[in-house]
């Protein structure tokens, strides 16, 4: 429970933001709860501004964000998380770049200050590079983007299939950034058309965001056979409209290089003399699984009759969103769980099958990824194409001998406290500095690099998060049936209409959006206690449906011996307000923190 001090200003400043799970989980700190609540209240413009201000790719994210906010959403502890991503789409369709009726987004993206003399080179026109260009251009810098291919967008265009992300919408969001005055050099591949030193000599600072577009190598027996493809290369070709020669029966191996290493180690237990690798499941593993599912769904659209995804994990253990899995299943993609790849079988140099071995367990007693196999339990899946989703690598050669230091993991080495590199006035971010990341993490890197550059040029540190707790005269009440209001399913095209590039997800109707948004618990509100009014009657503790309020001896908290303390677990509180209503002395109230995520047009939040 927050303690009100002098005029409601509180310390520590960050507690209230950290206690909004969706906001804390979002790499750009979008106050998702605030925009969801605004939709429930019918204030779609405020909702749009709240979603757009921290994110120059709000419209794209409304379609394809991995939505870590939904994984963290407190409503998920009651039943299912709020469909935050689909609700963002609902408001970007009204006010974003894809809306024809309104140009609100132009006000949001307007420059914030005078033109500045410094020039910045951004290498890579993907999400990290373009987010950085957006913020720098708004700050008034001269920005030049160097993009290797013929189009901006990076993996948003090359890696994400068009049936998930409409290309017209993506282009509109990229054009909005270019229109801020960003100079673009297409078909300018680093290391081939221009050297790193050249770019460095042209600009006062450089942001390296070259992505990770190379498929990783793989040491699996049979990997050189005709019919073995790397998922990222398959997707890049398919997404550019090139014909990719795949057979009728396709097997996609999902799970990333960690999964591959684990299975290989199991087969060579005698050589290793130990168990397989142990690691934490990271966001990058989820990326690889998304890549595997994208490859499988793209294969069906390329004409494959029979597509199977094999994974080390059971269905519930897979690092993929339930929505992604459900969509793949609708498209009749078959899953074979708890199998690891042993070898690719070939005849006359062509793939004829994949031999798999059983997985006996995936995680160790501490919950760490440590798969165990039974090599004696093998099974062959007949196929003519094997697609390997084994992660991606960055093209370090392109940086040349004078580029920034590279780590043993093959990514650009960063300074300990930010996105600086071993070279002065050179920053790096996105996949090139961290390995494959989610789209929203790449956007966050671009924004952070821009903020670090701006600080170095001007000496202006980003504003400290300031805020106030504002007491609400009226507050939102959960309905009596709040725990029986199921998540509204995100509408999709019927399976028989999912042909070619047709976008599968279609978006909420107004009624669906209002119903889904009303499920939000509004975690941005906080229960406040006025200690001068509290008489320690404990009636609030009696009514709390989750038993979150307790009266305990104050000495247990280091307080005065003989005194009583009232505690409330705000991290579990569902903001139902029953305690406030029951309090006979009005000692409890609901207050909103005005720190992060409060929309202000013209601000760079
Ligand atoms: S319930 Fe609402 S405010 Fe709370 S985490 Fe979920 S979306 Fe955010
Ligand atoms: S009664 Fe409701 S608002 Fe009060 S602490 Fe319990 S869950 Fe939170």
């Amino acid at each position: 429970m927050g303690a009100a001090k002098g005029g409601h200003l509180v310390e520590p400043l960050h507690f209230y933001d950290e206690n909004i799970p969706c906001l804390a989980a979002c790499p750009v700190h979008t106050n998702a709860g605030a925009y969801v609540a605004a939709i429930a209240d019918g204030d779609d413009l405020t909702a749009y501004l709240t979603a757009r201000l921290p994110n120059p790719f709000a419209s794209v994210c409304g379609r394809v964000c991995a939505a870590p906010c939904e994984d963290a959403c407190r409503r998920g502890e009651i039943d299912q998380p709020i469909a935050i991503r689909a609700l963002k789409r609902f408001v970007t369709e009204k006010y974003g770049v894809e809306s024809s009726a309104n140009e609100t987004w132009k006000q949001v993206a307007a420059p914030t200050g005078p033109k500045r003399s410094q020039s910045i080179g951004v290498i890579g026109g993907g999400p990290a590079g373009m987010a950085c260009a957006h913020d720098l251009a708004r700050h008034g810098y001269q920005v030049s983007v160097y993009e290797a291919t013929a189009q901006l967008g990076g993996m948003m265009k090359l890696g994400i299939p068009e049936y998930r992300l409409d290309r017209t919408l993506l282009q509109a969001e990229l054009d909005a950034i270019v229109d801020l005055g960003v100079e673009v050099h297409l078909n300018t591949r680093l290391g081939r058309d221009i050297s790193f030193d050249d770019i460095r000599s042209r600009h006062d600072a450089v942001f390296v965001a070259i992505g990770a577009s190379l498929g990783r190598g793989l040491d699996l027996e049979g990997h050189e056979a005709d019919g073995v493809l790397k998922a990222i290369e398959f997707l890049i070709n398919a997404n550019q409209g090139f014909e990719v020669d795949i057979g009728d029966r396709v097997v996609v191996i999902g799970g990333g290089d960690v999964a591959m290493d684990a299975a290989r180690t199991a087969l060579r237990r005698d050589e290793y003399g130990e168990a397989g690798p142990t690691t934490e499941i990271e966001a990058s593993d989820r990326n690889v699984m998304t890549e595997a599912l994208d490859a499988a769904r793209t294969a069906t659209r390329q004409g494959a009759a029979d597509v199977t995804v094999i994974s080390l994990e059971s269905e519930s253990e897979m690092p993929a969103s339930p929505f992604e899995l459900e969509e793949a299943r609708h498209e009749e993609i078959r899953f074979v769980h708890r199998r690891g790849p042993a070898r690719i079988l070939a005849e006359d140099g062509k793939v004829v099958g994949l031999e798999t071995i059983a997985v006996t367990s995936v995680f160790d007693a501490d919950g760490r990824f440590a798969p165990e196999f039974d090599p004696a339990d093998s099974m062959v899946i007949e196929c003519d194409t094997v697609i390997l989703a084994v992660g991606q690598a960055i093209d370090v050669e392109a940086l040349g001998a004078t580029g920034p230091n590279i780590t043993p993991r093959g990514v650009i080495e960063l300074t300990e406290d930010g996105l600086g590199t071993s070279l002065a006035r050179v920053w790096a971010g996105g996949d090139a500095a961290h390995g494959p990341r989610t789209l929203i993490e790449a956007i966050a890197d671009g924004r952070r690099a821009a903020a670090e550059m701006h600080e170095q040029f001007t000496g202006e540190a980003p504003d400290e998060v300031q805020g106030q707790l504002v007491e609400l005269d009226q507050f939102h009440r959960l309905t009596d049936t709040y725990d029986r209001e199921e998540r509204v399913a995100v509408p999709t095209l019927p399976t028989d209409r999912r042909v070619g590039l047709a976008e599968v997800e279609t978006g909420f109707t107004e009624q669906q959006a209002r119903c889904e948004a009303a499920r939000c618990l509004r975690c941005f509100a906080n229960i406040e206690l006025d200690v001068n009014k509290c008489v320690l009657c404990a009636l609030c503790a009696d009514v709390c449906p989750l038993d979150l309020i307790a009266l305990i001896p104050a000495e247990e908290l280091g307080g005065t011996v003989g005194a009583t303390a009232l505690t409330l677990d705000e991290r579990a509180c569902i903001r139902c307000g029953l305690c406030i209503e029951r309090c006979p002395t009005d000692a409890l109230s609901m207050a909103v923190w005005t720190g992060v995520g409060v929309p202000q047009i013209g601000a760079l939040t």
Side-chain angles (χ1 to χ4, degrees):
M1 184 173 299
K5 289 183 192 170
H8 288 306
L9 271 175
V10 293
E11 296 205 353
L13 292 173
H14 293 285
F15 171 80
Y16 295 103
D17 291 323
E18 282 173 4
N19 196 28
I20 306 173
C22 50
L23 182 151
C26 174
V28 295
H29 294 317
T30 308
N31 194 347
Y35 75 69
V36 170
I39 294 170
D41 296 342
D43 186 355
D44 296 335
L45 178 57
T46 297
Y48 173 71
L49 294 174
T50 309
R52 169 62 184 83
L53 276 163
N55 185 356
F57 287 105
S59 296
V60 167
C61 285
R63 272 74 177 176
V64 294
C65 184
C69 52
E70 293 190 23
D71 294 339
C73 173
R74 194 167 276 139
R75 175 81 206 203
E77 290 174 24
I78 297 175
D79 45 19
Q80 285 185 294
I82 304 296
I84 300 172
R85 181 182 56 74
L87 287 168
K88 177 179 286 182
R89 174 180 177 154
F90 174 73
V91 285
T92 66
E93 281 180 341
K94 285 196 168 189
Y95 297 107
V97 289
E98 67 271 49
S99 68
S100 53
N102 197 302
E103 295 205 339
T104 308
W105 55 270
K106 282 198 173 162
Q107 299 171 45
V108 180
T112 58
K115 286 272 170 219
R116 297 175 195 272
S117 60
Q118 292 94 346
S119 144
I120 319 277
V122 173
I123 312 177
M130 293 307 287
C132 183
H134 169 271
D135 282 14
L136 290 170
R138 289 193 66 205
H139 275 310
Y141 294 100
Q142 300 167 42
V143 186
S144 300
V145 173
Y146 299 88
E147 165 56 37
T149 70
Q151 301 170 49
L152 292 173
M155 294 312 281
M156 292 186 286
K157 202 165 269 176
L158 300 176
I160 301 176
E162 197 163 347
Y163 59 82
R164 290 212 293 126
L165 178 60
D166 177 72
R167 293 303 189 256
T168 311
L169 173 138
L170 170 58
Q171 194 57 50
E173 211 142 50
L174 291 165
D175 288 347
I177 296 173
V178 175
D179 288 348
L180 292 169
V182 173
E183 185 180 80
V184 177
H185 303 263
L186 297 174
N187 295 309
T188 309
R189 183 172 290 280
L190 185 69
R192 183 192 68 191
D193 304 309
I194 193 163
S195 72
F196 180 70
D197 284 346
D198 267 353
I199 294 178
R200 225 179 146 200
S201 66
R202 288 184 191 184
H203 301 284
D204 299 298
V206 174
F207 178 50
V208 185
I210 55 177
S213 57
L214 301 182
R216 276 190 192 280
L218 185 76
D219 174 28
L220 187 67
E221 187 182 325
H223 73 275
E224 286 171 340
D226 204 3
V228 179
L229 306 170
K230 289 172 187 164
I232 192 60
E233 288 163 9
F234 168 61
L235 286 169
I236 287 174
N237 280 304
N239 288 335
Q240 290 185 98
F242 301 138
E243 202 168 311
V244 186
D245 193 14
I246 58 164
D248 272 346
R249 290 173 305 167
V250 176
V251 172
V252 181
I253 305 176
D257 48 354
V258 175
M260 303 293 165
D261 283 350
R264 283 201 307 279
T265 308
L267 286 169
R268 297 172 192 163
R269 185 67 54 93
D270 292 345
E271 291 167 39
Y272 287 96
E274 58 180 50
T278 302
T279 182
E280 302 286 354
I281 285 277
E282 293 178 357
S284 59
D285 297 302
R286 184 163 173 165
N287 279 353
V288 174
M289 193 52 77
T290 299
E291 182 185 293
L293 296 178
D294 279 347
R297 295 173 72 189
T298 301
T300 63
R301 285 163 174 78
Q302 296 262 330
D306 178 11
V307 180
T308 304
V309 175
I310 74 156
S311 73
L312 302 190
E313 301 91 348
S314 66
E315 183 177 334
S316 59
E317 294 163 335
M318 276 177 92
S321 81
F323 180 79
E324 286 174 313
L325 292 173
E326 198 184 312
E327 287 310 298
R329 238 178 256 111
H330 277 157
E331 293 171 15
E332 295 183 0
I333 286 158
R334 197 163 64 95
F335 286 87
V336 176
H337 296 290
R338 290 269 184 149
R339 307 291 308 180
R343 59 185 62 86
I344 294 165
L345 306 175
E347 283 175 10
D348 300 328
K350 290 193 176 141
V351 171
V352 293
L354 175 75
E355 185 181 328
T356 65
I357 51 173
V359 176
T360 52
S361 67
V362 180
F363 300 101
D364 65 15
D366 297 325
R368 286 165 62 85
F369 187 69
E372 293 282 333
F373 298 86
D374 178 5
D377 179 353
S378 80
M379 178 182 91
V380 171
I381 303 174
E382 291 182 3
C383 58
D384 42 36
T385 305
V386 172
I387 299 179
L388 307 163
V390 291
Q392 298 141 40
I394 80 159
D395 185 3
V396 282
E397 305 267 304
L399 290 162
T402 52
N405 287 351
I406 303 295
T407 70
R409 276 182 62 221
V411 293
I412 297 171
E413 185 181 282
L414 298 178
T415 49
E416 267 180 24
D417 55 350
L419 297 178
T421 67
S422 56
L423 301 176
R425 301 212 163 186
V426 175
W427 282 259
D431 295 359
H434 301 279
R437 312 197 92 191
T438 60
L439 169 62
I440 190 63
E441 286 172 313
I443 293 167
D445 268 8
R447 298 209 59 210
R448 186 173 173 196
E452 288 180 20
M453 288 180 193
H454 183 58
E455 185 178 348
Q456 186 156 124
F457 281 124
T458 62
E460 289 171 20
D463 289 342
E464 292 236 324
V465 175
Q466 301 283 351
Q468 290 185 320
L469 270 177
V470 178
E471 190 176 320
L472 301 175
D473 292 335
Q474 290 183 310
F475 61 92
H476 175 258
R477 288 294 319 272
L478 293 179
T479 64
D480 292 344
T481 55
Y482 79 91
D483 55 350
R484 276 171 277 154
E485 290 158 1
E486 289 183 5
R487 174 172 159 128
V488 180
V490 180
T492 54
L493 275 186
T495 315
D496 59 359
R497 287 176 51 205
R498 296 184 190 183
V499 287
L501 306 176
E503 200 179 354
V504 169
E505 208 176 292
T506 54
F508 281 140
T509 62
E510 172 138 8
Q511 191 183 22
Q512 287 171 323
R514 306 273 179 240
C515 287
E516 177 57 14
R519 296 175 63 243
C520 174
L521 304 175
R522 306 189 182 216
C523 305
F524 49 83
N526 298 273
I527 310 291
E528 286 293 296
L529 172 70
D530 184 338
V531 289
N532 297 318
K533 288 185 181 170
C534 180
V535 292
L536 294 172
C537 65
L539 288 175
C540 52
D542 287 349
V543 294
C544 176
L546 301 180
D547 278 338
L548 303 178
I549 303 177
L551 267 66
I552 59 171
E555 62 202 84
E556 285 184 19
L557 301 174
T560 314
V561 176
T564 301
L566 187 146
T567 63
L568 187 157
D569 182 357
E570 269 196 294
R571 293 197 185 270
C573 171
I574 57 170
R575 281 76 179 156
C576 69
L578 287 176
C579 51
I580 298 173
E581 295 212 332
R582 190 69 189 87
C583 179
T585 63
D586 287 337
L588 290 167
S589 60
M590 194 76 85
V592 171
W593 166 243
T594 62
V596 171
V598 175
Q600 283 177 331
I601 289 186
L604 262 175
T605 58

